[in-house]
Amino acid sequence: MTFDNAQARPLRGAALGDIAAAGRVEVPTYDRSEVSVGIVHFGVGGFHRAHQAVVIDDLLASGSAREWGILGVGVLPGDVAMRDALAAQDGLYTLVRKHPDGQLDARVIGSIVDYLFAPDDPERVIEALADPGVRIVSLTITEGGYNFDQVTGDFDSSAPDVQADLAAGAAPSTVFGLVVEAIARRRERGIEPFTVMSCDNIQGNGDKARAVFSTFAALRDPDLGRWVLENVAFPNSMVDRITPVTTDEDRQLVADEFGIIDVWPVVAEPFFQWALEDRFPAGRPPYDEAGVQLVDDVEPYELMKLRLLNASHQGLAYFGYLAGYRYAHEATDDPAIAAFLRDYMDLEATPTLHPVPGVDLDVYKTTLIERFANPAIRDTLARLCAESSDRIPKWLLPVVRERLAAGGDVRRSAAIVASWARYAEGIDEAGEPIHIVDRYADELTALAQTQRDNPVAFIGNPAFFGDLADDERFRTAYLEALASLFEHGALATVRGLVSER
């Protein structure tokens, strides 16, 4: 991208003094050369850089955590862009918080002290992981990155990249192969294992990480698999901050408003939450000093977030996109959609939740609607619609199953599934094509395009829905919503589901 602002300065370590002198942006005040790597993070994207990396930056700025710098690791072809962006800027990037009233504030984050692209040199990554100074391996590899069956929850050992990593003498290419090889080397060398800290939007994300990494280890060596189960800690966590995809407009904004040329800044909402189980045998940063809630049991917090925020995002996304909206705030500004979301939260999701210590759920739900409606964030519905096959089964279908077991109402949840099915046809209500981003896009679209003749085709796929299509209450609610979407459209369907309470 070519920046129009000739006065803007490229972001580099050498430029921090000048950026600080301009007085518009906070910059690291600590000596980054004194920061050593204590955390290796897989999946350095916008969310990690708006969340976990900010916490470490806060701690470094306060004078602590010098041994907890972050080494980022990428394993996918698309991670080359992050490698190059961070290399060009000495690991620095700009975080811009966008407030609902239009106020902006920015800071340069310096906690990522190095980045490795694993395909460049897998051995270097493994040895970095095996370093005794590394005591945490953290993950934001997306819901699909854990490679497990959507219905059974079992690790998919048949995946070609997994099979390649399990071959004798193979250079690991997956996060499983790299991490498990490092664990094996640490065990052989008498080095305490690191803690594996998942920060992905999966219920029981630490438990899931424990299951998939130990299964991979057992496939390689049954004794190693048992050792991982007995000796490696996998705390659960709940993380929350809306972080839209960075656009060229965001890059220009950073140049215009703050005088910085940043090839990959991050924009985020002001809201931040992180609940984390305090299970770190090898030690951890003083997370609690940076606003992290250290708890004995994260499940109440994660269920709250997954079933209220994440599942509501799905309720917003497909209905809004089909109706012609393209941004989350536009769809939330529609009174019918906002009311539908609140009804889903109150009448279907909340009854499945446990008490959440220190949280007023009514206030939390009101805040969620306000966050969705933040016009400054410009969160795209396309982002929220992406990778639905990983999201709906983990965030929404557990609500459906619990409500069915309790004899409760599932009409709104079923309607969200129906809106996904209608969206998956690949054409919106104006006849415009939809670019569906999903690893199962071809399969899903093929099913959806038969549902005018066979209305249960989409939910009849057991890989995503198990036996839900056989449940009369769910099937009836789903078919009613789907028929309404076909006949009346998204907004009329939503209006018909809004409670008159």
Side-chain angles (χ1 to χ4, degrees), residues 345-381:
M345 293 184 202
D346 288 344
L347 302 176
E348 298 187 24
T350 300
T352 72
L353 302 180
H354 307 312
V356 186
V359 177
D360 182 320
L361 285 180
D362 283 335
V363 172
Y364 181 81
K365 288 181 281 191
T366 298
T367 301
L368 282 183
I369 299 295
E370 293 170 352
R371 292 168 63 194
F372 295 167
N374 183 345
I377 293 296
R378 296 183 66 78
D379 199 8
T380 66
L381 294 181

PDB file of all heavy atoms in Angstrom, residues 345-381:
ATOM      1  N   MET A 345     -30.304 -14.616  23.810  1.00  0.00           N
ATOM      2  CA  MET A 345     -29.470 -14.633  25.018  1.00  0.00           C
ATOM      3  C   MET A 345     -30.299 -14.941  26.261  1.00  0.00           C
ATOM      4  O   MET A 345     -29.917 -15.789  27.080  1.00  0.00           O
ATOM      5  CB  MET A 345     -28.787 -13.266  25.197  1.00  0.00           C
ATOM      6  CG  MET A 345     -27.765 -12.905  24.149  1.00  0.00           C
ATOM      7  SD  MET A 345     -27.001 -11.310  24.603  1.00  0.00           S
ATOM      8  CE  MET A 345     -26.392 -10.758  23.022  1.00  0.00           C
ATOM      9  N   ASP A 346     -31.426 -14.241  26.406  1.00  0.00           N
ATOM     10  CA  ASP A 346     -32.219 -14.370  27.634  1.00  0.00           C
ATOM     11  C   ASP A 346     -32.946 -15.708  27.727  1.00  0.00           C
ATOM     12  O   ASP A 346     -32.971 -16.341  28.795  1.00  0.00           O
ATOM     13  CB  ASP A 346     -33.250 -13.238  27.710  1.00  0.00           C
ATOM     14  CG  ASP A 346     -32.638 -11.884  28.008  1.00  0.00           C
ATOM     15  OD1 ASP A 346     -31.473 -11.844  28.451  1.00  0.00           O
ATOM     16  OD2 ASP A 346     -33.323 -10.864  27.791  1.00  0.00           O
ATOM     17  N   LEU A 347     -33.564 -16.123  26.629  1.00  0.00           N
ATOM     18  CA  LEU A 347     -34.513 -17.230  26.681  1.00  0.00           C
ATOM     19  C   LEU A 347     -33.907 -18.587  26.348  1.00  0.00           C
ATOM     20  O   LEU A 347     -34.470 -19.616  26.733  1.00  0.00           O
ATOM     21  CB  LEU A 347     -35.680 -16.942  25.735  1.00  0.00           C
ATOM     22  CG  LEU A 347     -36.441 -15.630  26.012  1.00  0.00           C
ATOM     23  CD1 LEU A 347     -37.510 -15.405  24.966  1.00  0.00           C
ATOM     24  CD2 LEU A 347     -37.036 -15.637  27.414  1.00  0.00           C
ATOM     25  N   GLU A 348     -32.775 -18.607  25.644  1.00  0.00           N
ATOM     26  CA  GLU A 348     -32.199 -19.895  25.272  1.00  0.00           C
ATOM     27  C   GLU A 348     -30.782 -20.092  25.804  1.00  0.00           C
ATOM     28  O   GLU A 348     -30.467 -21.137  26.373  1.00  0.00           O
ATOM     29  CB  GLU A 348     -32.254 -20.063  23.747  1.00  0.00           C
ATOM     30  CG  GLU A 348     -33.707 -20.062  23.237  1.00  0.00           C
ATOM     31  CD  GLU A 348     -33.854 -20.382  21.762  1.00  0.00           C
ATOM     32  OE1 GLU A 348     -32.963 -21.037  21.196  1.00  0.00           O
ATOM     33  OE2 GLU A 348     -34.878 -19.975  21.169  1.00  0.00           O
ATOM     34  N   ALA A 349     -29.915 -19.089  25.669  1.00  0.00           N
ATOM     35  CA  ALA A 349     -28.534 -19.275  26.115  1.00  0.00           C
ATOM     36  C   ALA A 349     -28.389 -19.191  27.629  1.00  0.00           C
ATOM     37  O   ALA A 349     -27.758 -20.059  28.248  1.00  0.00           O
ATOM     38  CB  ALA A 349     -27.625 -18.238  25.445  1.00  0.00           C
ATOM     39  N   THR A 350     -28.967 -18.165  28.237  1.00  0.00           N
ATOM     40  CA  THR A 350     -28.762 -17.952  29.677  1.00  0.00           C
ATOM     41  C   THR A 350     -29.203 -19.142  30.522  1.00  0.00           C
ATOM     42  O   THR A 350     -28.520 -19.483  31.505  1.00  0.00           O
ATOM     43  CB  THR A 350     -29.459 -16.666  30.134  1.00  0.00           C
ATOM     44  OG1 THR A 350     -28.897 -15.555  29.410  1.00  0.00           O
ATOM     45  CG2 THR A 350     -29.265 -16.421  31.622  1.00  0.00           C
ATOM     46  N   PRO A 351     -30.310 -19.804  30.221  1.00  0.00           N
ATOM     47  CA  PRO A 351     -30.692 -20.959  31.043  1.00  0.00           C
ATOM     48  C   PRO A 351     -29.670 -22.104  31.044  1.00  0.00           C
ATOM     49  O   PRO A 351     -29.735 -22.974  31.910  1.00  0.00           O
ATOM     50  CB  PRO A 351     -32.020 -21.414  30.415  1.00  0.00           C
ATOM     51  CG  PRO A 351     -32.583 -20.184  29.787  1.00  0.00           C
ATOM     52  CD  PRO A 351     -31.377 -19.451  29.253  1.00  0.00           C
ATOM     53  N   THR A 352     -28.734 -22.097  30.095  1.00  0.00           N
ATOM     54  CA  THR A 352     -27.720 -23.162  30.055  1.00  0.00           C
ATOM     55  C   THR A 352     -26.445 -22.784  30.804  1.00  0.00           C
ATOM     56  O   THR A 352     -25.507 -23.592  30.859  1.00  0.00           O
ATOM     57  CB  THR A 352     -27.329 -23.510  28.598  1.00  0.00           C
ATOM     58  OG1 THR A 352     -26.548 -22.438  28.037  1.00  0.00           O
ATOM     59  CG2 THR A 352     -28.561 -23.743  27.737  1.00  0.00           C
ATOM     60  N   LEU A 353     -26.396 -21.585  31.369  1.00  0.00           N
ATOM     61  CA  LEU A 353     -25.175 -21.100  32.005  1.00  0.00           C
ATOM     62  C   LEU A 353     -25.153 -21.393  33.496  1.00  0.00           C
ATOM     63  O   LEU A 353     -26.196 -21.492  34.144  1.00  0.00           O
ATOM     64  CB  LEU A 353     -25.024 -19.593  31.792  1.00  0.00           C
ATOM     65  CG  LEU A 353     -24.992 -19.109  30.341  1.00  0.00           C
ATOM     66  CD1 LEU A 353     -24.844 -17.599  30.285  1.00  0.00           C
ATOM     67  CD2 LEU A 353     -23.862 -19.782  29.574  1.00  0.00           C
ATOM     68  N   HIS A 354     -23.931 -21.497  34.033  1.00  0.00           N
ATOM     69  CA  HIS A 354     -23.722 -21.579  35.472  1.00  0.00           C
ATOM     70  C   HIS A 354     -23.576 -20.168  36.027  1.00  0.00           C
ATOM     71  O   HIS A 354     -23.275 -19.225  35.275  1.00  0.00           O
ATOM     72  CB  HIS A 354     -22.451 -22.373  35.778  1.00  0.00           C
ATOM     73  CG  HIS A 354     -22.388 -23.719  35.124  1.00  0.00           C
ATOM     74  ND1 HIS A 354     -23.430 -24.618  35.146  1.00  0.00           N
ATOM     75  CD2 HIS A 354     -21.403 -24.323  34.402  1.00  0.00           C
ATOM     76  CE1 HIS A 354     -23.098 -25.707  34.491  1.00  0.00           C
ATOM     77  NE2 HIS A 354     -21.866 -25.555  34.020  1.00  0.00           N
ATOM     78  N   PRO A 355     -23.752 -19.969  37.337  1.00  0.00           N
ATOM     79  CA  PRO A 355     -23.453 -18.648  37.914  1.00  0.00           C
ATOM     80  C   PRO A 355     -22.009 -18.251  37.608  1.00  0.00           C
ATOM     81  O   PRO A 355     -21.098 -19.078  37.666  1.00  0.00           O
ATOM     82  CB  PRO A 355     -23.669 -18.868  39.409  1.00  0.00           C
ATOM     83  CG  PRO A 355     -24.625 -20.022  39.500  1.00  0.00           C
ATOM     84  CD  PRO A 355     -24.268 -20.912  38.344  1.00  0.00           C
ATOM     85  N   VAL A 356     -21.824 -16.986  37.259  1.00  0.00           N
ATOM     86  CA  VAL A 356     -20.490 -16.497  36.881  1.00  0.00           C
ATOM     87  C   VAL A 356     -20.019 -15.541  37.980  1.00  0.00           C
ATOM     88  O   VAL A 356     -20.539 -14.435  38.091  1.00  0.00           O
ATOM     89  CB  VAL A 356     -20.520 -15.779  35.522  1.00  0.00           C
ATOM     90  CG1 VAL A 356     -19.101 -15.413  35.084  1.00  0.00           C
ATOM     91  CG2 VAL A 356     -21.209 -16.638  34.468  1.00  0.00           C
ATOM     92  N   PRO A 357     -19.057 -15.956  38.787  1.00  0.00           N
ATOM     93  CA  PRO A 357     -18.612 -15.105  39.898  1.00  0.00           C
ATOM     94  C   PRO A 357     -18.182 -13.722  39.429  1.00  0.00           C
ATOM     95  O   PRO A 357     -17.391 -13.581  38.498  1.00  0.00           O
ATOM     96  CB  PRO A 357     -17.420 -15.887  40.481  1.00  0.00           C
ATOM     97  CG  PRO A 357     -17.685 -17.314  40.106  1.00  0.00           C
ATOM     98  CD  PRO A 357     -18.347 -17.256  38.768  1.00  0.00           C
ATOM     99  N   GLY A 358     -18.755 -12.712  40.069  1.00  0.00           N
ATOM    100  CA  GLY A 358     -18.352 -11.342  39.787  1.00  0.00           C
ATOM    101  C   GLY A 358     -18.959 -10.730  38.547  1.00  0.00           C
ATOM    102  O   GLY A 358     -18.584  -9.615  38.171  1.00  0.00           O
ATOM    103  N   VAL A 359     -19.895 -11.420  37.884  1.00  0.00           N
ATOM    104  CA  VAL A 359     -20.474 -10.912  36.642  1.00  0.00           C
ATOM    105  C   VAL A 359     -21.985 -10.811  36.769  1.00  0.00           C
ATOM    106  O   VAL A 359     -22.651 -11.773  37.161  1.00  0.00           O
ATOM    107  CB  VAL A 359     -20.125 -11.818  35.439  1.00  0.00           C
ATOM    108  CG1 VAL A 359     -20.807 -11.313  34.168  1.00  0.00           C
ATOM    109  CG2 VAL A 359     -18.616 -11.879  35.231  1.00  0.00           C
ATOM    110  N   ASP A 360     -22.533  -9.633  36.458  1.00  0.00           N
ATOM    111  CA  ASP A 360     -23.973  -9.436  36.356  1.00  0.00           C
ATOM    112  C   ASP A 360     -24.355  -9.744  34.912  1.00  0.00           C
ATOM    113  O   ASP A 360     -24.013  -8.986  33.996  1.00  0.00           O
ATOM    114  CB  ASP A 360     -24.326  -7.989  36.719  1.00  0.00           C
ATOM    115  CG  ASP A 360     -25.827  -7.721  36.692  1.00  0.00           C
ATOM    116  OD1 ASP A 360     -26.512  -8.227  35.788  1.00  0.00           O
ATOM    117  OD2 ASP A 360     -26.312  -6.981  37.575  1.00  0.00           O
ATOM    118  N   LEU A 361     -25.034 -10.849  34.694  1.00  0.00           N
ATOM    119  CA  LEU A 361     -25.312 -11.289  33.328  1.00  0.00           C
ATOM    120  C   LEU A 361     -26.201 -10.317  32.570  1.00  0.00           C
ATOM    121  O   LEU A 361     -26.038 -10.139  31.358  1.00  0.00           O
ATOM    122  CB  LEU A 361     -25.938 -12.681  33.334  1.00  0.00           C
ATOM    123  CG  LEU A 361     -24.984 -13.846  33.618  1.00  0.00           C
ATOM    124  CD1 LEU A 361     -25.739 -15.167  33.592  1.00  0.00           C
ATOM    125  CD2 LEU A 361     -23.838 -13.881  32.604  1.00  0.00           C
ATOM    126  N   ASP A 362     -27.143  -9.660  33.234  1.00  0.00           N
ATOM    127  CA  ASP A 362     -27.979  -8.687  32.533  1.00  0.00           C
ATOM    128  C   ASP A 362     -27.136  -7.525  32.010  1.00  0.00           C
ATOM    129  O   ASP A 362     -27.302  -7.074  30.871  1.00  0.00           O
ATOM    130  CB  ASP A 362     -29.086  -8.165  33.449  1.00  0.00           C
ATOM    131  CG  ASP A 362     -30.222  -9.157  33.607  1.00  0.00           C
ATOM    132  OD1 ASP A 362     -30.413  -9.989  32.693  1.00  0.00           O
ATOM    133  OD2 ASP A 362     -30.919  -9.113  34.631  1.00  0.00           O
ATOM    134  N   VAL A 363     -26.226  -7.057  32.848  1.00  0.00           N
ATOM    135  CA  VAL A 363     -25.331  -5.978  32.413  1.00  0.00           C
ATOM    136  C   VAL A 363     -24.431  -6.468  31.288  1.00  0.00           C
ATOM    137  O   VAL A 363     -24.200  -5.759  30.304  1.00  0.00           O
ATOM    138  CB  VAL A 363     -24.491  -5.460  33.605  1.00  0.00           C
ATOM    139  CG1 VAL A 363     -23.417  -4.483  33.118  1.00  0.00           C
ATOM    140  CG2 VAL A 363     -25.391  -4.802  34.642  1.00  0.00           C
ATOM    141  N   TYR A 364     -23.921  -7.693  31.414  1.00  0.00           N
ATOM    142  CA  TYR A 364     -23.040  -8.257  30.394  1.00  0.00           C
ATOM    143  C   TYR A 364     -23.751  -8.328  29.053  1.00  0.00           C
ATOM    144  O   TYR A 364     -23.179  -7.960  28.013  1.00  0.00           O
ATOM    145  CB  TYR A 364     -22.578  -9.648  30.834  1.00  0.00           C
ATOM    146  CG  TYR A 364     -21.643 -10.336  29.869  1.00  0.00           C
ATOM    147  CD1 TYR A 364     -20.284 -10.043  29.846  1.00  0.00           C
ATOM    148  CD2 TYR A 364     -22.109 -11.294  28.974  1.00  0.00           C
ATOM    149  CE1 TYR A 364     -19.415 -10.687  28.966  1.00  0.00           C
ATOM    150  CE2 TYR A 364     -21.254 -11.939  28.093  1.00  0.00           C
ATOM    151  CZ  TYR A 364     -19.913 -11.627  28.099  1.00  0.00           C
ATOM    152  OH  TYR A 364     -19.069 -12.261  27.222  1.00  0.00           O
ATOM    153  N   LYS A 365     -25.003  -8.778  29.039  1.00  0.00           N
ATOM    154  CA  LYS A 365     -25.736  -8.912  27.781  1.00  0.00           C
ATOM    155  C   LYS A 365     -26.043  -7.552  27.166  1.00  0.00           C
ATOM    156  O   LYS A 365     -25.954  -7.380  25.940  1.00  0.00           O
ATOM    157  CB  LYS A 365     -27.021  -9.720  28.016  1.00  0.00           C
ATOM    158  CG  LYS A 365     -26.741 -11.199  28.265  1.00  0.00           C
ATOM    159  CD  LYS A 365     -27.998 -12.008  28.485  1.00  0.00           C
ATOM    160  CE  LYS A 365     -28.550 -11.858  29.884  1.00  0.00           C
ATOM    161  NZ  LYS A 365     -29.629 -12.842  30.175  1.00  0.00           N
ATOM    162  N   THR A 366     -26.374  -6.597  28.000  1.00  0.00           N
ATOM    163  CA  THR A 366     -26.592  -5.238  27.484  1.00  0.00           C
ATOM    164  C   THR A 366     -25.312  -4.685  26.878  1.00  0.00           C
ATOM    165  O   THR A 366     -25.325  -4.063  25.802  1.00  0.00           O
ATOM    166  CB  THR A 366     -27.076  -4.320  28.617  1.00  0.00           C
ATOM    167  OG1 THR A 366     -28.333  -4.810  29.114  1.00  0.00           O
ATOM    168  CG2 THR A 366     -27.254  -2.887  28.121  1.00  0.00           C
ATOM    169  N   THR A 367     -24.199  -4.934  27.552  1.00  0.00           N
ATOM    170  CA  THR A 367     -22.902  -4.477  27.047  1.00  0.00           C
ATOM    171  C   THR A 367     -22.563  -5.137  25.721  1.00  0.00           C
ATOM    172  O   THR A 367     -21.989  -4.502  24.824  1.00  0.00           O
ATOM    173  CB  THR A 367     -21.794  -4.760  28.083  1.00  0.00           C
ATOM    174  OG1 THR A 367     -22.103  -4.087  29.306  1.00  0.00           O
ATOM    175  CG2 THR A 367     -20.434  -4.291  27.588  1.00  0.00           C
ATOM    176  N   LEU A 368     -22.929  -6.407  25.562  1.00  0.00           N
ATOM    177  CA  LEU A 368     -22.658  -7.096  24.300  1.00  0.00           C
ATOM    178  C   LEU A 368     -23.344  -6.402  23.127  1.00  0.00           C
ATOM    179  O   LEU A 368     -22.720  -6.177  22.072  1.00  0.00           O
ATOM    180  CB  LEU A 368     -23.127  -8.548  24.364  1.00  0.00           C
ATOM    181  CG  LEU A 368     -22.266  -9.547  25.113  1.00  0.00           C
ATOM    182  CD1 LEU A 368     -22.870 -10.942  25.008  1.00  0.00           C
ATOM    183  CD2 LEU A 368     -20.834  -9.556  24.578  1.00  0.00           C
ATOM    184  N   ILE A 369     -24.610  -6.060  23.297  1.00  0.00           N
ATOM    185  CA  ILE A 369     -25.327  -5.383  22.218  1.00  0.00           C
ATOM    186  C   ILE A 369     -24.651  -4.050  21.904  1.00  0.00           C
ATOM    187  O   ILE A 369     -24.487  -3.675  20.732  1.00  0.00           O
ATOM    188  CB  ILE A 369     -26.801  -5.165  22.596  1.00  0.00           C
ATOM    189  CG1 ILE A 369     -27.507  -6.515  22.839  1.00  0.00           C
ATOM    190  CG2 ILE A 369     -27.524  -4.380  21.504  1.00  0.00           C
ATOM    191  CD1 ILE A 369     -27.624  -7.390  21.629  1.00  0.00           C
ATOM    192  N   GLU A 370     -24.228  -3.336  22.942  1.00  0.00           N
ATOM    193  CA  GLU A 370     -23.529  -2.056  22.736  1.00  0.00           C
ATOM    194  C   GLU A 370     -22.204  -2.270  22.005  1.00  0.00           C
ATOM    195  O   GLU A 370     -21.829  -1.469  21.142  1.00  0.00           O
ATOM    196  CB  GLU A 370     -23.284  -1.382  24.081  1.00  0.00           C
ATOM    197  CG  GLU A 370     -24.568  -0.937  24.781  1.00  0.00           C
ATOM    198  CD  GLU A 370     -24.329  -0.485  26.216  1.00  0.00           C
ATOM    199  OE1 GLU A 370     -23.193  -0.669  26.718  1.00  0.00           O
ATOM    200  OE2 GLU A 370     -25.277   0.056  26.828  1.00  0.00           O
ATOM    201  N   ARG A 371     -21.503  -3.349  22.336  1.00  0.00           N
ATOM    202  CA  ARG A 371     -20.233  -3.638  21.660  1.00  0.00           C
ATOM    203  C   ARG A 371     -20.460  -3.982  20.192  1.00  0.00           C
ATOM    204  O   ARG A 371     -19.724  -3.529  19.312  1.00  0.00           O
ATOM    205  CB  ARG A 371     -19.518  -4.785  22.366  1.00  0.00           C
ATOM    206  CG  ARG A 371     -19.015  -4.432  23.753  1.00  0.00           C
ATOM    207  CD  ARG A 371     -18.572  -5.666  24.529  1.00  0.00           C
ATOM    208  NE  ARG A 371     -17.435  -6.323  23.885  1.00  0.00           N
ATOM    209  CZ  ARG A 371     -17.014  -7.552  24.186  1.00  0.00           C
ATOM    210  NH1 ARG A 371     -17.647  -8.275  25.103  1.00  0.00           N
ATOM    211  NH2 ARG A 371     -15.968  -8.055  23.569  1.00  0.00           N
ATOM    212  N   PHE A 372     -21.477  -4.785  19.917  1.00  0.00           N
ATOM    213  CA  PHE A 372     -21.789  -5.132  18.530  1.00  0.00           C
ATOM    214  C   PHE A 372     -22.120  -3.875  17.713  1.00  0.00           C
ATOM    215  O   PHE A 372     -21.852  -3.825  16.506  1.00  0.00           O
ATOM    216  CB  PHE A 372     -22.983  -6.083  18.455  1.00  0.00           C
ATOM    217  CG  PHE A 372     -22.766  -7.444  19.072  1.00  0.00           C
ATOM    218  CD1 PHE A 372     -23.855  -8.281  19.304  1.00  0.00           C
ATOM    219  CD2 PHE A 372     -21.509  -7.890  19.421  1.00  0.00           C
ATOM    220  CE1 PHE A 372     -23.678  -9.546  19.862  1.00  0.00           C
ATOM    221  CE2 PHE A 372     -21.321  -9.142  19.984  1.00  0.00           C
ATOM    222  CZ  PHE A 372     -22.414  -9.969  20.209  1.00  0.00           C
ATOM    223  N   ALA A 373     -22.721  -2.884  18.372  1.00  0.00           N
ATOM    224  CA  ALA A 373     -23.196  -1.687  17.680  1.00  0.00           C
ATOM    225  C   ALA A 373     -22.137  -0.602  17.560  1.00  0.00           C
ATOM    226  O   ALA A 373     -22.434   0.476  17.019  1.00  0.00           O
ATOM    227  CB  ALA A 373     -24.417  -1.129  18.413  1.00  0.00           C
ATOM    228  N   ASN A 374     -20.915  -0.861  18.025  1.00  0.00           N
ATOM    229  CA  ASN A 374     -19.846   0.141  17.957  1.00  0.00           C
ATOM    230  C   ASN A 374     -19.507   0.431  16.489  1.00  0.00           C
ATOM    231  O   ASN A 374     -18.901  -0.408  15.816  1.00  0.00           O
ATOM    232  CB  ASN A 374     -18.611  -0.373  18.697  1.00  0.00           C
ATOM    233  CG  ASN A 374     -17.475   0.633  18.750  1.00  0.00           C
ATOM    234  OD1 ASN A 374     -17.461   1.622  18.023  1.00  0.00           O
ATOM    235  ND2 ASN A 374     -16.504   0.377  19.609  1.00  0.00           N
ATOM    236  N   PRO A 375     -19.864   1.615  15.967  1.00  0.00           N
ATOM    237  CA  PRO A 375     -19.638   1.891  14.536  1.00  0.00           C
ATOM    238  C   PRO A 375     -18.173   2.090  14.183  1.00  0.00           C
ATOM    239  O   PRO A 375     -17.787   1.933  13.019  1.00  0.00           O
ATOM    240  CB  PRO A 375     -20.437   3.177  14.300  1.00  0.00           C
ATOM    241  CG  PRO A 375     -20.447   3.860  15.631  1.00  0.00           C
ATOM    242  CD  PRO A 375     -20.512   2.761  16.660  1.00  0.00           C
ATOM    243  N   ALA A 376     -17.355   2.416  15.188  1.00  0.00           N
ATOM    244  CA  ALA A 376     -15.948   2.678  14.909  1.00  0.00           C
ATOM    245  C   ALA A 376     -15.192   1.400  14.552  1.00  0.00           C
ATOM    246  O   ALA A 376     -14.218   1.431  13.792  1.00  0.00           O
ATOM    247  CB  ALA A 376     -15.294   3.358  16.108  1.00  0.00           C
ATOM    248  N   ILE A 377     -15.636   0.271  15.084  1.00  0.00           N
ATOM    249  CA  ILE A 377     -14.930  -0.989  14.858  1.00  0.00           C
ATOM    250  C   ILE A 377     -15.081  -1.469  13.422  1.00  0.00           C
ATOM    251  O   ILE A 377     -14.165  -2.052  12.832  1.00  0.00           O
ATOM    252  CB  ILE A 377     -15.430  -2.067  15.844  1.00  0.00           C
ATOM    253  CG1 ILE A 377     -15.020  -1.694  17.270  1.00  0.00           C
ATOM    254  CG2 ILE A 377     -14.894  -3.437  15.488  1.00  0.00           C
ATOM    255  CD1 ILE A 377     -13.518  -1.659  17.481  1.00  0.00           C
ATOM    256  N   ARG A 378     -16.261  -1.262  12.841  1.00  0.00           N
ATOM    257  CA  ARG A 378     -16.532  -1.687  11.465  1.00  0.00           C
ATOM    258  C   ARG A 378     -16.190  -3.161  11.265  1.00  0.00           C
ATOM    259  O   ARG A 378     -15.514  -3.566  10.316  1.00  0.00           O
ATOM    260  CB  ARG A 378     -15.786  -0.808  10.449  1.00  0.00           C
ATOM    261  CG  ARG A 378     -16.248   0.633  10.460  1.00  0.00           C
ATOM    262  CD  ARG A 378     -15.553   1.476   9.405  1.00  0.00           C
ATOM    263  NE  ARG A 378     -15.904   1.064   8.047  1.00  0.00           N
ATOM    264  CZ  ARG A 378     -17.037   1.373   7.415  1.00  0.00           C
ATOM    265  NH1 ARG A 378     -17.969   2.085   8.042  1.00  0.00           N
ATOM    266  NH2 ARG A 378     -17.263   0.974   6.193  1.00  0.00           N
ATOM    267  N   ASP A 379     -16.672  -3.968  12.188  1.00  0.00           N
ATOM    268  CA  ASP A 379     -16.458  -5.415  12.101  1.00  0.00           C
ATOM    269  C   ASP A 379     -17.347  -5.960  10.995  1.00  0.00           C
ATOM    270  O   ASP A 379     -18.561  -5.736  10.991  1.00  0.00           O
ATOM    271  CB  ASP A 379     -16.815  -6.059  13.443  1.00  0.00           C
ATOM    272  CG  ASP A 379     -16.212  -7.438  13.608  1.00  0.00           C
ATOM    273  OD1 ASP A 379     -15.399  -7.841  12.758  1.00  0.00           O
ATOM    274  OD2 ASP A 379     -16.552  -8.105  14.607  1.00  0.00           O
ATOM    275  N   THR A 380     -16.774  -6.670  10.051  1.00  0.00           N
ATOM    276  CA  THR A 380     -17.546  -7.121   8.905  1.00  0.00           C
ATOM    277  C   THR A 380     -18.338  -8.381   9.237  1.00  0.00           C
ATOM    278  O   THR A 380     -17.873  -9.264   9.959  1.00  0.00           O
ATOM    279  CB  THR A 380     -16.640  -7.408   7.698  1.00  0.00           C
ATOM    280  OG1 THR A 380     -15.782  -8.515   7.995  1.00  0.00           O
ATOM    281  CG2 THR A 380     -15.800  -6.195   7.336  1.00  0.00           C
ATOM    282  N   LEU A 381     -19.534  -8.455   8.664  1.00  0.00           N
ATOM    283  CA  LEU A 381     -20.328  -9.676   8.820  1.00  0.00           C
ATOM    284  C   LEU A 381     -19.652 -10.837   8.100  1.00  0.00           C
ATOM    285  O   LEU A 381     -19.790 -11.990   8.520  1.00  0.00           O
ATOM    286  CB  LEU A 381     -21.739  -9.454   8.280  1.00  0.00           C
ATOM    287  CG  LEU A 381     -22.588  -8.444   9.062  1.00  0.00           C
ATOM    288  CD1 LEU A 381     -23.975  -8.327   8.440  1.00  0.00           C
ATOM    289  CD2 LEU A 381     -22.700  -8.819  10.533  1.00  0.00           C
TER     290      LEU A 381
END
